[in-house]
Coordinates of all heavy atoms in Angstrom, one line a residue:
N15 N 141.5 113.7 60.1 CA 141.2 114.5 61.2 C 139.8 114.3 61.6 O 138.9 114.5 60.9 CB 141.6 115.9 60.8 CG 143.0 116.3 61.0 OD1 143.8 115.5 61.5 ND2 143.4 117.4 60.3
L16 N 139.6 114.3 63.0 CA 138.3 114.2 63.6 C 138.0 115.7 64.0 O 138.8 116.2 64.8 CB 138.3 113.3 64.8 CG 137.1 113.2 65.6 CD1 135.9 112.7 64.7 CD2 137.2 112.4 66.8
S17 N 136.9 116.2 63.5 CA 136.5 117.6 63.9 C 135.3 117.4 64.9 O 134.2 116.9 64.4 CB 136.1 118.3 62.7 OG 135.7 119.6 63.0
L18 N 135.5 117.8 66.1 CA 134.4 117.8 67.0 C 133.8 119.3 67.1 O 134.5 120.2 67.3 CB 134.8 117.4 68.4 CG 135.5 116.0 68.4 CD1 136.1 115.8 69.9 CD2 134.5 115.0 68.1
T19 N 132.4 119.3 66.8 CA 131.9 120.6 66.9 C 130.8 120.7 68.1 O 130.1 119.7 68.3 CB 131.1 121.0 65.5 OG1 130.2 119.9 65.3 CG2 132.1 121.3 64.4
K20 N 130.8 121.8 68.7 CA 130.0 122.0 69.8 C 128.5 122.0 69.3 O 128.1 123.0 68.6 CB 130.3 123.2 70.6 CG 129.5 123.4 71.8 CD 130.0 124.7 72.6 CE 129.3 124.8 73.9 NZ 129.8 125.9 74.7
T21 N 127.6 121.1 69.8 CA 126.4 121.1 69.4 C 125.3 121.4 70.6 O 124.3 122.0 70.4 CB 125.8 119.8 68.9 OG1 126.1 118.7 69.8 CG2 126.6 119.4 67.5
R22 N 125.8 121.2 71.8 CA 125.0 121.5 73.0 C 126.0 121.7 74.2 O 127.1 121.0 74.1 CB 124.0 120.4 73.2 CG 124.6 119.1 73.6 CD 123.6 118.0 73.8 NE 124.1 116.8 73.8 CZ 124.7 116.2 74.9 NH1 124.7 116.8 76.0 NH2 125.2 115.0 75.0
E23 N 125.6 122.3 75.1 CA 126.4 122.5 76.3 C 126.1 121.2 77.2 O 124.9 120.9 77.4 CB 126.1 123.7 77.1 CG 126.9 123.9 78.3 CD 126.9 125.3 78.9 OE1 126.5 126.2 78.2 OE2 127.2 125.4 80.1
V24 N 127.1 120.5 77.6 CA 127.0 119.3 78.4 C 126.7 119.8 79.9 O 127.4 120.6 80.4 CB 128.3 118.6 78.3 CG1 128.3 117.3 79.2 CG2 128.6 118.1 76.9
A25 N 125.6 119.2 80.4 CA 125.2 119.5 81.8 C 125.1 118.3 82.7 O 124.0 117.9 82.9 CB 124.0 120.3 81.7
F26 N 126.3 117.7 83.0 CA 126.2 116.6 84.0 C 125.9 117.3 85.3 O 126.3 118.5 85.6 CB 127.6 116.0 84.0 CG 127.9 115.2 82.8 CD1 128.9 115.5 81.9 CD2 127.2 114.1 82.4 CE1 129.3 114.9 80.8 CE2 127.5 113.4 81.2 CZ 128.5 113.8 80.4
D27 N 125.2 116.5 86.2 CA 124.9 117.0 87.5 C 126.1 117.4 88.3 O 126.0 118.2 89.3 CB 124.0 116.0 88.2 CG 122.7 115.9 87.6 OD1 122.2 116.8 86.9 OD2 122.0 114.9 87.9
D28 N 127.3 116.8 88.0 CA 128.4 117.1 88.8 C 129.6 117.8 87.9 O 130.7 117.5 88.1 CB 129.0 115.8 89.4 CG 129.3 114.8 88.4 OD1 129.0 114.9 87.2 OD2 129.8 113.7 88.7
N29 N 129.1 118.6 87.1 CA 130.1 119.5 86.2 C 131.1 120.2 87.0 O 132.2 120.3 86.6 CB 129.3 120.5 85.3 CG 129.0 120.0 84.0 OD1 129.3 118.9 83.6 ND2 128.1 120.7 83.2
D30 N 130.7 120.7 88.2 CA 131.7 121.4 89.1 C 132.7 120.5 89.6 O 133.7 121.1 90.0 CB 130.9 122.1 90.2 CG 130.2 121.1 91.1 OD1 129.7 120.0 90.6 OD2 130.1 121.3 92.3
K31 N 132.6 119.3 89.5 CA 133.8 118.3 90.0 C 134.6 118.0 88.8 O 135.7 117.3 89.0 CB 133.1 117.1 90.6 CG 132.4 117.4 91.8 CD 131.8 116.1 92.5 CE 131.1 116.6 93.8 NZ 129.9 115.9 94.0
I32 N 134.4 118.4 87.5 CA 135.3 118.1 86.5 C 136.4 119.2 86.5 O 136.1 120.3 86.5 CB 134.6 118.1 85.1 CG1 133.4 117.0 85.1 CG2 135.4 117.9 83.9 CD1 132.5 117.1 84.0
S33 N 137.6 118.7 86.4 CA 138.8 119.5 86.5 C 138.8 120.5 85.3 O 138.3 120.1 84.2 CB 140.1 118.8 86.4 OG 140.2 118.0 87.6
D34 N 139.2 121.8 85.5 CA 139.2 122.8 84.4 C 140.0 122.2 83.2 O 139.5 122.6 82.1 CB 139.8 124.0 84.9 CG 139.0 124.8 86.0 OD1 137.8 124.6 86.0 OD2 139.6 125.6 86.7
Y35 N 141.1 121.5 83.4 CA 141.8 121.1 82.3 C 141.2 120.1 81.4 O 141.4 119.9 80.3 CB 143.2 120.6 82.7 CG 143.2 119.3 83.3 CD1 143.3 118.1 82.6 CD2 143.1 119.2 84.6 CE1 143.2 116.9 83.2 CE2 143.1 117.9 85.4 CZ 143.1 116.8 84.5 OH 143.1 115.5 85.2
A36 N 140.2 119.4 82.0 CA 139.5 118.3 81.3 C 138.1 118.7 80.8 O 137.5 118.0 80.0 CB 139.4 117.1 82.3
S37 N 137.6 119.9 81.2 CA 136.2 120.2 80.9 C 135.9 120.3 79.4 O 134.9 119.8 79.0 CB 135.7 121.3 81.7 OG 136.5 122.5 81.4
L38 N 136.8 120.9 78.6 CA 136.6 121.1 77.2 C 136.6 119.7 76.6 O 135.7 119.4 75.7 CB 137.7 122.0 76.7 CG 137.5 122.2 75.1 CD1 136.1 122.8 74.8 CD2 138.6 123.1 74.6
A39 N 137.5 118.8 77.0 CA 137.6 117.5 76.3 C 136.3 116.7 76.7 O 135.7 116.0 75.8 CB 138.8 116.7 76.8
V40 N 135.8 116.8 77.9 CA 134.6 116.0 78.4 C 133.4 116.6 77.6 O 132.6 115.9 77.0 CB 134.3 116.3 79.8 CG1 132.9 115.8 80.3 CG2 135.4 115.5 80.7
E41 N 133.3 117.9 77.4 CA 132.2 118.4 76.6 C 132.3 118.0 75.1 O 131.3 117.6 74.6 CB 132.3 120.0 76.7 CG 131.1 120.7 76.0 CD 131.2 122.1 76.2 OE1 131.7 122.6 77.3 OE2 130.8 122.9 75.3
E42 N 133.5 118.1 74.5 CA 133.5 117.6 73.0 C 133.3 116.1 72.9 O 132.6 115.8 72.0 CB 134.9 118.1 72.5 CG 135.1 119.6 72.4 CD 136.3 119.9 71.7 OE1 137.1 119.1 71.4 OE2 136.5 121.2 71.5
F43 N 133.8 115.3 73.8 CA 133.6 113.8 73.7 C 132.1 113.6 73.9 O 131.5 112.7 73.3 CB 134.4 113.2 74.7 CG 135.8 112.7 74.1 CD1 136.6 113.7 73.5 CD2 136.3 111.4 74.3 CE1 137.8 113.4 73.0 CE2 137.5 111.1 73.7 CZ 138.3 112.1 73.1
A44 N 131.4 114.3 74.9 CA 130.0 114.0 75.0 C 129.2 114.5 73.9 O 128.3 113.8 73.5 CB 129.5 114.8 76.3
N45 N 129.6 115.6 73.3 CA 128.8 116.1 72.1 C 129.0 115.2 70.9 O 128.1 115.0 70.1 CB 129.3 117.5 71.7 CG 128.7 118.6 72.5 OD1 127.5 118.4 72.9 ND2 129.4 119.6 72.8
A46 N 130.2 114.5 70.8 CA 130.4 113.6 69.8 C 129.8 112.2 70.0 O 129.8 111.3 69.1 CB 131.9 113.5 69.6
G47 N 129.3 112.1 71.1 CA 128.6 110.7 71.5 C 129.6 109.7 72.0 O 129.2 108.5 72.0
I48 N 130.9 110.1 72.3 CA 131.8 109.1 72.7 C 131.6 108.7 74.1 O 131.8 107.6 74.5 CB 133.2 109.7 72.4 CG1 133.4 109.8 70.9 CG2 134.3 108.8 73.0 CD1 134.7 110.5 70.5
I49 N 131.3 109.7 75.0 CA 131.0 109.5 76.4 C 129.5 109.9 76.7 O 129.0 110.9 76.0 CB 132.0 110.1 77.4 CG1 132.0 111.6 77.2 CG2 133.3 109.5 77.2 CD1 132.8 112.3 78.1
N50 N 128.9 109.3 77.6 CA 127.5 109.6 77.9 C 127.3 109.9 79.4 O 126.1 110.3 79.7 CB 126.6 108.5 77.4 CG 126.6 108.3 76.0 OD1 126.5 109.1 75.2 ND2 126.9 107.1 75.6
G51 N 128.2 109.7 80.1 CA 127.9 109.9 81.6 C 127.3 108.7 82.2 O 127.1 107.7 81.6
M52 N 126.9 108.8 83.5 CA 126.2 107.8 84.3 C 124.8 107.8 84.1 O 124.3 108.8 83.6 CB 126.7 107.8 85.6 CG 128.2 107.9 85.9 SD 129.1 106.7 85.1 CE 129.4 105.6 86.5
E53 N 124.1 106.8 84.5 CA 122.7 106.8 84.4 C 121.9 107.9 85.2 O 120.8 108.3 84.9 CB 122.1 105.4 84.9 CG 122.5 104.3 83.9 CD 122.0 102.9 84.5 OE1 121.3 102.9 85.6 OE2 122.1 102.0 83.7
D54 N 122.6 108.4 86.3 CA 122.0 109.4 87.1 C 122.3 110.8 86.7 O 122.3 111.8 87.3 CB 122.4 109.2 88.6 CG 123.8 109.4 88.8 OD1 124.6 109.5 87.9 OD2 124.2 109.4 90.0
N55 N 122.8 110.9 85.4 CA 123.2 112.2 84.8 C 124.5 112.8 85.4 O 124.6 114.1 85.4 CB 122.0 113.3 84.7 CG 122.3 114.4 83.7 OD1 122.9 114.1 82.6 ND2 122.1 115.6 84.1
S56 N 125.3 112.0 86.0 CA 126.5 112.5 86.6 C 127.6 112.0 85.6 O 127.5 111.2 84.8 CB 126.8 111.9 88.0 OG 127.0 110.5 88.0
F57 N 128.8 112.6 85.8 CA 130.0 112.2 85.0 C 131.0 111.4 86.0 O 131.6 110.5 85.4 CB 130.7 113.4 84.5 CG 131.9 113.1 83.7 CD1 131.7 112.5 82.4 CD2 133.2 113.4 84.1 CE1 132.9 112.1 81.7 CE2 134.3 113.0 83.4 CZ 134.1 112.4 82.2
S58 N 130.9 111.7 87.2 CA 131.7 110.9 88.1 C 133.3 111.0 87.9 O 133.9 110.0 87.5 CB 131.3 109.5 88.3 OG 130.0 109.3 88.8
P59 N 133.8 112.2 87.7 CA 135.2 112.3 87.3 C 136.2 111.8 88.2 O 137.3 111.5 87.8 CB 135.4 113.8 87.2 CG 134.4 114.4 88.2 CD 133.3 113.5 88.1
K60 N 135.9 111.5 89.4 CA 136.8 111.0 90.4 C 136.8 109.4 90.5 O 137.6 108.8 91.2 CB 136.6 111.5 91.8 CG 136.6 113.0 91.9 CD 138.0 113.6 91.6 CE 138.0 115.1 91.7 NZ 139.2 115.7 91.3
S61 N 135.8 108.8 89.8 CA 135.7 107.3 89.8 C 136.6 106.6 88.7 O 136.9 107.3 87.7 CB 134.2 106.9 89.4 OG 133.4 107.5 90.4
N62 N 136.9 105.4 88.9 CA 137.6 104.7 87.9 C 136.7 104.0 86.9 O 135.5 103.8 87.3 CB 138.4 103.5 88.6 CG 139.5 104.0 89.5 OD1 140.1 104.9 89.2 ND2 139.7 103.3 90.6
L63 N 137.1 103.9 85.7 CA 136.2 103.2 84.7 C 136.3 101.7 84.8 O 137.3 101.2 85.3 CB 136.8 103.5 83.3 CG 136.6 105.0 82.7 CD1 137.3 105.1 81.3 CD2 135.2 105.2 82.6
T64 N 135.1 101.1 84.6 CA 135.1 99.6 84.6 C 135.6 99.2 83.2 O 135.6 99.9 82.3 CB 133.6 99.2 84.8 OG1 132.8 99.5 83.8 CG2 133.1 99.7 86.1
R65 N 135.8 97.9 83.0 CA 136.1 97.3 81.7 C 135.1 97.5 80.8 O 135.3 97.8 79.6 CB 136.4 95.9 81.9 CG 137.8 95.6 82.5 CD 138.0 94.1 82.5 NE 138.7 93.8 83.8 CZ 138.8 92.6 84.4 NH1 138.1 91.6 83.8 NH2 139.4 92.5 85.5
S66 N 133.8 97.4 81.2 CA 132.7 97.5 80.3 C 132.6 99.0 79.7 O 132.2 99.3 78.6 CB 131.3 96.9 80.8 OG 131.0 97.7 82.0
Q67 N 132.8 100.0 80.7 CA 132.7 101.3 80.3 C 133.8 101.7 79.4 O 133.6 102.4 78.4 CB 132.8 102.3 81.6 CG 131.6 102.2 82.5 CD 131.8 102.8 83.8 OE1 132.9 102.8 84.4 NE2 130.8 103.5 84.3
T68 N 135.0 101.1 79.6 CA 136.1 101.4 78.6 C 135.8 100.7 77.4 O 136.1 101.4 76.3 CB 137.4 100.8 79.2 OG1 137.7 101.3 80.5 CG2 138.6 101.0 78.3
A69 N 135.2 99.6 77.3 CA 134.9 98.9 76.0 C 133.8 99.8 75.2 O 134.0 99.9 74.0 CB 134.3 97.5 76.2
V70 N 132.8 100.3 75.9 CA 131.9 101.2 75.2 C 132.5 102.5 74.7 O 132.3 102.8 73.6 CB 130.7 101.6 76.2 CG1 129.9 102.7 75.6 CG2 129.9 100.4 76.6
I71 N 133.4 103.1 75.5 CA 134.1 104.3 75.0 C 135.0 104.0 73.8 O 134.9 104.7 72.8 CB 134.9 105.0 76.1 CG1 134.0 105.5 77.2 CG2 135.9 106.0 75.6 CD1 134.7 106.0 78.4
L72 N 135.7 102.9 73.9 CA 136.5 102.5 72.7 C 135.7 102.2 71.4 O 136.0 102.6 70.3 CB 137.5 101.4 73.0 CG 138.6 101.6 74.0 CD1 139.3 100.3 74.4 CD2 139.5 102.6 73.4
N73 N 134.6 101.5 71.7 CA 133.7 101.2 70.5 C 133.1 102.5 69.9 O 133.1 102.7 68.7 CB 132.5 100.3 71.0 CG 131.6 100.0 69.8 OD1 132.1 99.4 68.8 ND2 130.4 100.3 70.0
N74 N 132.7 103.5 70.7 CA 132.2 104.8 70.3 C 133.3 105.5 69.6 O 133.0 106.2 68.6 CB 131.7 105.5 71.5 CG 130.4 105.0 72.1 OD1 129.8 104.2 71.5 ND2 130.1 105.4 73.3
I75 N 134.6 105.5 70.0 CA 135.6 106.2 69.3 C 135.8 105.5 67.9 O 135.9 106.3 66.9 CB 137.0 106.1 70.1 CG1 136.9 107.0 71.3 CG2 138.1 106.5 69.2 CD1 138.0 106.8 72.3
I76 N 135.9 104.2 67.9 CA 136.0 103.5 66.5 C 134.8 103.9 65.7 O 135.2 104.2 64.5 CB 136.1 102.0 66.7 CG1 137.5 101.8 67.5 CG2 136.0 101.3 65.5 CD1 137.6 100.3 68.0
R77 N 133.6 103.9 66.1 CA 132.5 104.2 65.4 C 132.5 105.6 64.8 O 132.3 105.9 63.7 CB 131.2 103.9 66.1 CG 130.0 104.1 65.3 CD 128.7 103.7 66.0 NE 128.7 104.6 67.2 CZ 128.2 104.1 68.4 NH1 127.8 102.9 68.5 NH2 128.2 105.0 69.4
T78 N 132.9 106.6 65.7 CA 133.1 107.9 65.3 C 134.1 108.2 64.2 O 133.9 108.9 63.3 CB 133.4 108.7 66.6 OG1 132.3 108.7 67.5 CG2 133.5 110.2 66.2
L79 N 135.2 107.5 64.4 CA 136.3 107.7 63.4 C 136.0 107.0 62.1 O 136.7 107.4 61.1 CB 137.6 107.1 64.0 CG 138.3 107.9 65.2 CD1 139.4 107.1 65.7 CD2 138.6 109.3 64.7
S80 N 135.1 106.0 62.2 CA 134.8 105.4 60.8 C 133.8 106.1 60.0 O 133.5 105.7 58.8 CB 134.1 104.0 61.2 OG 135.0 103.2 61.8
L81 N 133.2 107.2 60.6 CA 132.2 108.0 59.7 C 132.8 108.6 58.5 O 133.9 109.1 58.4 CB 131.5 109.1 60.7 CG 130.8 108.5 61.8 CD1 130.3 109.6 62.6 CD2 129.7 107.7 61.3

């Protein structure tokens, strides 16, 4: 079991654009280091992921689960 604990409040510049149903998952994944947002401190919830972003997220999940 992967236990994600809240260590900090995630403050992306566009937090208000993250859907309510997804906000907790975004916060927990960000706290776990699985997602980091964009270079401009946005999350861009309406954008599609690129292949490279997907690869980074999958790598971070694998690394997190291997702990």
Side-chain angles (χ1 to χ4, degrees):
N15 278 343
L16 176 62
S17 176
L18 301 175
T19 50
K20 184 175 179 177
T21 56
R22 63 180 170 85
E23 185 166 335
V24 176
F26 293 115
D27 291 343
D28 57 354
N29 270 353
D30 59 324
K31 293 181 179 143
I32 300 171
S33 297
D34 290 340
Y35 73 88
S37 62
L38 180 60
V40 169
E41 186 174 327
E42 289 187 358
F43 273 48
N45 281 326
I48 293 171
I49 59 172
N50 299 306
M52 309 304 263
E53 290 180 357
D54 64 353
N55 197 42
S56 67
F57 182 68
S58 298
K60 304 294 183 190
S61 298
N62 294 325
L63 287 176
T64 65
R65 284 184 218 159
S66 61
Q67 290 168 325
T68 303
V70 168
I71 291 170
L72 291 173
N73 184 56
N74 290 343
I75 290 170
I76 291 167
R77 188 178 53 219
T78 300
L79 292 175
S80 297
L81 295 177

